[in-house]
Amino acid sequence: MSSDSRTYRAAIFGLGAISRAHLRGYNAPENATRVQVIAGADISNEARDRFGADTGGASTYADYRELLERERPDVVSICTWPPFHPEMVEAAAAAGVRGILCEKPMAVDLAGCDRMLAAAEGAGAILVVGHQRRLQPKFTRARALMDEGAIGTPELLCGIAAGDLLTDGTHTVDALRFFAGDAPVEWVMGTVDLRPREVRQEHVGRSGFAAQERPFTVRYGHAVESGAIAMLQFAGGPRATLELGICARPGYQRFTLYGTDGAIAVSGDRVVEGEPLLKVRRRGSSGWEVVQDVEESNGFAREVSLLLDSIEHGTPHPLSGRSARMTHEVLMAVFESGRRPARVELPLDVAHSPLEDLLGRQEAGHAAQGRGQTQEVAKA
Ligand SMILES: NC(=O)c1ccc[n+]([C@@H]2O[C@H](COP(=O)([O-])OP(=O)(O)OC[C@H]3O[C@@H](n4cnc5c(N)ncnc54)[C@H](O)[C@@H]3O)[C@@H](O)[C@H]2O)c1
């Protein structure tokens, strides 16, 4: 902490698209008296220059380790691609950072998640992962309606997202877990479509799609599937379904929550005109009721203020790294279910990414197919 006892010194690693939401979160009125963004690190000159301009002159570094050594920040946001998250959390924890706000997905495999948890817990640092929907009003109101019994006993929770399991499904699964009251997941059954993904031109060069690769098998530096379907069983509670990518109905982070006596519909991120953010068909009522006074809010400012509260008072953070690991386990279990293929009981004891195994098997299959064709040609 600085000599001003109200002010924590924050730094950001990775100064791309999502770092700007973090910066706005730190600068939000509820946080600006407690924390100041004093430095950022990025390997790109352009990103560093833009960050310098946006912050009015915070220090910039090409090497995040040098930043840690020289600036000794109290809080760090990690806004780089997932393969970098474990090493950056380890370095921040070793440098004495007290609060680490790491972007989702937590890592690319459970081994990475466990490295991050071991580093943070070993150093007494608080690790938070950016599943910010848990803090957004339409999600918290939906959960409150369920807790009040508005739809009876929850039976089936349906989550939809265009996108891939790691990048987008991590939000979907995390929200499904939130709606299920964070009950443990007993088993997962699912599968993935590994055919390369076609992406709209306007998403290339941003949203983690590298311009040189078309169609896409890699996003944000890790392998991705083009579609996924899964079912989850929560212990003593509802089931959930997951529709992603080319297997998803339209919508992004759109949910319908069915209970024995009613249902709740949570709009996706891109709301069509006239669509309410939240509506409920209550127990005993035959029609939908729009839930009033639900505002859109992105949750980043709240994520930061709760992190500072956790540092000061030891209060648990609702987006804890431990919770994010459970979400990650479900994502890995969907891949593993497709790999076996079988229903996968949790806990999952596969530390590496089963998606990599699936892709390896596919490549081996293609190679074998290629050899077959060569033999056919030779015979002809
Ligand atoms: N919470 C959300 O809703 C949300 C939304 C978008 C993205 N994300 C996540 O945030 C992460 C970043 O996504 P983005 O869209 O901002 O990516 P981006 O490509 O726009 O930015 C990443 C930045 O990291 C920099 N970088 C790469 N290697 C580095 C290194 N070794 N040291 C320092 N900087 C380095 C790159 O130069 C780039 O500027 C991803 O994990 C993504 O899934 C989260």
Side-chain angles (χ1 to χ4, degrees):
M1 232 187 303
S2 74
S3 52
D4 174 352
S5 65
R6 292 169 307 164
T7 307
Y8 291 89
R9 292 156 50 79
I12 304 181
F13 298 170
L15 306 175
I18 203 63
S19 73
R20 296 194 269 287
H22 284 243
L23 187 57
R24 283 195 297 276
Y26 287 111
N27 289 341
E30 61 264 50
N31 297 324
T33 53
R34 302 170 81 191
V35 64
Q36 186 185 4
V37 176
I38 46 96
D42 201 298
I43 51 172
S44 145
N45 293 335
E46 197 191 328
R48 291 198 304 276
D49 289 348
R50 192 180 43 229
F51 174 79
D54 288 350
T55 52
S59 316
T60 58
Y61 294 81
D63 179 352
Y64 72 91
R65 291 179 190 277
E66 191 187 336
L67 181 157
L68 285 170
E69 207 176 293
R70 290 214 193 174
E71 303 284 349
R72 296 274 154 200
D74 305 297
V75 177
V76 160
S77 274
I78 297 178
C79 298
T80 50
W81 293 0
F84 295 108
H85 294 173
E87 66 173 58
M88 289 184 162
V89 167
E90 284 174 339
V97 172
R98 299 167 68 192
I100 304 170
L101 219 169
C102 180
E103 260 314 330
K104 46 53 59 176
M106 189 170 178
V108 292
D109 53 25
L110 287 174
C113 298
D114 289 338
R115 277 173 59 192
M116 294 161 72
L117 288 168
E121 289 170 2
I126 292 154
L127 175 63
V128 165
V129 177
H131 292 124
Q132 75 276 6
R133 283 176 177 73
R134 282 176 182 259
L135 305 174
Q136 292 175 2
K138 70 183 174 189
F139 288 80
T140 54
R141 285 290 287 279
R143 166 90 182 261
L145 283 165
M146 293 172 83
D147 292 347
E148 287 162 18
I151 61 169
T153 305
E155 283 198 314
L156 185 65
L157 317 176
C158 305
I160 291 174
D164 61 87
L165 268 169
L166 277 172
T167 310
D168 309 284
T170 191
H171 280 308
T172 325
V173 169
D174 198 67
L176 289 169
R177 290 186 50 242
F178 176 66
F179 292 136
D182 287 308
V185 176
E186 276 182 348
W187 55 256
V188 174
M189 173 94 186
T191 195
V192 289
D193 189 328
L194 293 180
R195 288 172 296 176
R197 182 170 172 195
E198 282 298 344
V199 168
R200 288 212 303 274
Q201 186 59 41
E202 63 267 30
H203 291 145
V204 178
R206 39 184 280 253
S207 313
F209 295 109
Q212 62 274 20
E213 200 192 344
R214 284 193 79 105
F216 297 87
T217 54
V218 171
R219 189 181 181 196
Y220 286 117
H222 54 77
V224 287
E225 81 292 346
S226 57
I229 288 277
M231 177 170 275
L232 283 51
Q233 173 68 56
F234 289 98
R239 287 190 175 188
T241 60
L242 195 58
E243 299 173 38
L244 284 166
I246 63 166
C247 301
R249 285 172 286 163
Y252 186 76
Q253 309 304 346
R254 182 161 74 78
F255 297 86
T256 312
L257 315 169
Y258 298 97
T260 46
D261 304 308
I264 293 171
V266 184
S267 77
D269 283 14
R270 290 175 276 278
V271 185
V272 290
E273 204 179 328
E275 183 192 2
L277 293 178
L278 188 63
K279 59 182 182 178
V280 57
R281 191 161 46 72
R282 288 180 189 271
R283 177 186 206 129
S285 157
S286 57
W288 287 101
E289 169 197 323
V290 174
V291 180
Q292 303 294 339
D293 304 322
V294 181
E295 284 169 17
E296 275 291 33
S297 116
N298 68 22
F300 285 93
R302 185 104 183 98
E303 205 172 313
V304 169
S305 37
L306 288 171
L307 177 60
L308 301 182
D309 290 348
S310 298
I311 294 172
E312 275 168 34
H313 311 298
T315 44
H317 198 292
L319 314 188
S320 72
R322 278 275 154 207
S323 173
R325 190 202 186 274
M326 292 182 207
T327 291
H328 210 81
E329 190 180 15
V330 172
L331 303 176
M332 295 296 113
V334 177
F335 294 133
E336 179 64 7
S337 178
R339 191 193 69 80
R340 287 183 185 177
R343 193 178 93 171
V344 171
E345 321 292 327
L346 299 191
L348 177 67
D349 61 353
V350 181
H352 66 278
S353 167
L355 176 59
E356 298 291 345
D357 287 348
L358 276 166
L359 289 166
R361 186 197 290 176
Q362 199 188 38
E363 270 167 30
H366 286 159
Q369 211 176 22
R371 278 198 302 280
Q373 279 162 4
T374 317
Q375 282 164 15
E376 292 302 309
V377 171
K379 267 195 263 169

